[in-house]
Amino acid sequence: MMKEYIVFDLEWNQSANGKVASVEELPFEIIEIGAVKLDEEFRQVDQFHRLIRPCVYRQMHYAISEVTHMNMGELREHGEQFADAAREFVEWCGDGAVYCSWGSMDLTELQRNMHYFGMENPFPWPLLYYDVQKLYGLISPERERISLDNAVVELGIPQDRPFHRASDDAYYTGKVLQAIAGMDLWKKLEHFLSVDYYRLPENRKEEIQLVFPGYSKFVSQVFASKEEALKDRRVAEMRCYECGRALRKKVRWFSPNQKIYYALAICPEHGSLKGKIRMKHLADQKVFAVKTLKLTDEVGAEKIRERREAVSRKRAVRNRAKHHKS
């Protein structure tokens, strides 16, 4: 089956009266879908565009209108029902679709809208995609989360269209992806797939374990708290993704900010393995863990040790301060 890159962008509206008037199951209602299709050589071969008639938020949020220059009259006159537009989009994407977007929100919000409007989820699970913003950050690490328009400027891509409409932003995201592929970096970067977190593992059997060249990623089931997550064996263990050996930690899991945790282990065959756990919080205060393991050299291992020492020093200072106050 021929692989095709679907580079897409969404525009969405939200409650014009703030969060208090927002629908909890649908904080963002999609009002525009734009996409370009690239072949295996990253040549644009097709494009897609649909406007969507809103039925949840019928007043345009001022910030959305200001950025996109869209208005409700345009959407009512030219828009179609979301379910119709979404089905047409999925059919247009085809079976060989590799989804690409600028940032991590678009696939999540597309699925959230599909669920709200009673559609079956058509995507594979786990859903892997390319976050082009992340890929660009890998070649420009000092600007990891750069905006699309700034990336276009830095790459010298001709600005022959406006920004901040779905079709235009999909077009420019495709141009950035083409530029990255043209730098002879694609063989290295194509392994840096992202995982969409809209559908999460519901039990241990569904937990996601992926091994890429150079690192592994684990996505846990949902836990009541981060403390419960860290007690879970599969979350806490460090296992070499090259040989599968369970490793004893040289630096146990620690956190400088209670959101990201680090650890270090040594594989007798493959060397130092550094671990990072990101605790992702859900709306109901529950959490799930995303663990990344990566082999590193002695410099990388030493950075983990130094970070652990810094956390220990800060804790000692806090404890002394508390002791003096008491």
Side-chain angles (χ1 to χ4, degrees):
M1 183 183 299
M2 184 174 293
K3 182 190 300 183
E4 291 180 314
Y5 299 95
I6 305 300
V7 187
F8 78 105
D9 187 79
L10 307 173
E11 299 296 340
W12 50 67
N13 190 28
Q14 61 194 84
S15 170
N17 298 312
K19 193 172 182 179
V20 66
S22 181
V23 176
E24 184 176 354
E25 297 83 6
L26 193 74
F28 305 113
E29 182 180 16
I30 295 170
I31 54 177
E32 188 178 28
I33 303 173
V36 296
K37 183 180 290 185
L38 309 180
D39 65 13
E40 289 187 325
E41 301 299 320
F42 297 94
R43 296 172 298 209
Q44 183 175 324
V45 295
D46 204 356
Q47 57 187 343
F48 180 93
H49 178 248
R50 293 291 186 277
L51 290 175
I52 296 164
R53 190 181 311 119
C55 59
V56 177
Y57 303 118
R58 298 174 185 269
Q59 181 182 347
M60 188 73 75
H61 191 284
Y62 76 93
I64 305 297
S65 179
E66 189 175 281
V67 171
T68 65
H69 304 292
M70 300 174 77
N71 60 71
M72 282 297 169
E74 176 187 7
L75 297 176
R76 282 192 289 266
E77 183 177 355
H78 301 291
E80 56 185 87
Q81 295 294 323
F82 170 79
D84 294 334
R87 274 191 290 267
E88 290 167 5
F89 175 60
V90 172
E91 183 178 346
W92 175 83
C93 291
D95 295 333
V98 178
Y99 293 94
C100 313
S101 62
W102 191 265
S104 60
M105 288 186 66
D106 291 83
L107 271 173
T108 294
E109 295 308 324
L110 180 58
Q111 293 173 92
R112 196 191 311 276
N113 275 250
M114 287 176 167
H115 178 75
Y116 184 86
F117 289 105
M119 298 180 63
E120 287 190 14
N121 194 312
F123 301 111
W125 189 83
L127 178 51
L128 306 181
Y129 69 101
Y130 285 115
D131 179 347
V132 182
Q133 186 183 41
K134 182 176 83 172
L135 295 182
Y136 187 73
L138 293 174
I139 66 172
S140 181
E142 71 279 0
R143 303 283 299 281
E144 183 178 353
R145 285 296 172 183
I146 189 174
S147 65
L148 176 59
D149 48 352
N150 282 333
V152 167
V153 171
E154 288 187 0
L155 290 169
I157 296 170
Q159 298 179 52
D160 48 10
R161 300 169 65 156
F163 287 92
H164 308 308
R165 288 291 297 262
S167 289
D168 299 318
D169 284 1
Y171 166 83
Y172 282 122
T173 302
K175 288 295 184 183
V176 173
L177 185 57
Q178 288 172 334
I180 293 171
M183 295 177 186
D184 295 327
L185 294 170
W186 187 246
K187 287 296 182 184
K188 176 182 177 182
L189 295 177
E190 67 177 336
H191 305 299
F192 287 89
L193 285 155
S194 296
V195 181
D196 178 76
Y197 300 131
Y198 177 72
R199 290 176 291 174
L200 293 168
E202 294 184 357
N203 51 55
R204 184 176 297 282
K205 193 173 182 180
E206 291 185 354
E207 289 179 322
I208 301 168
Q209 179 70 60
L210 300 168
V211 178
F212 302 105
Y215 71 103
S216 68
K217 178 170 284 190
F218 169 79
V219 182
S220 79
Q221 62 185 304
V222 176
F223 295 95
S225 67
K226 62 186 178 184
E227 290 78 16
E228 182 180 323
L230 286 169
K231 290 178 182 177
D232 183 80
R233 178 184 59 81
R234 291 196 70 188
V235 173
E237 72 177 359
M238 293 187 71
R239 187 176 293 272
C240 179
Y241 53 86
E242 291 286 356
C243 62
R245 182 185 277 111
L247 307 178
R248 179 171 293 182
K249 302 177 190 69
K250 295 297 183 181
V251 177
R252 294 181 178 275
W253 292 107
F254 69 95
S255 177
N257 55 17
Q258 302 303 307
K259 294 179 182 178
I260 302 177
Y261 294 78
Y262 300 95
L264 180 69
I266 307 295
C267 174
E269 182 177 354
H270 296 101
S272 297
L273 186 75
K274 62 180 182 180
K276 180 166 72 172
I277 294 175
R278 290 184 181 271
M279 290 296 176
K280 302 277 190 177
H281 290 262
L282 302 172
D284 58 2
Q285 305 303 312
K286 294 181 180 179
V287 303
F288 66 99
V290 178
K291 177 175 65 178
T292 305
L293 301 178
K294 187 173 184 179
L295 289 168
T296 188
D297 56 17
E298 184 53 37
V299 174
E302 186 59 30
K303 286 182 179 178
I304 296 292
R305 297 187 191 99
E306 290 173 354
R307 187 171 282 169
R308 179 69 182 92
E309 288 297 319
V311 170
S312 296
R313 288 194 297 270
K314 287 182 180 178
R315 183 176 299 142
V317 169
R318 287 196 301 267
N319 289 341
R320 283 197 297 270
K322 289 180 181 178
H323 177 74
H324 289 313
K325 284 183 180 178
S326 62

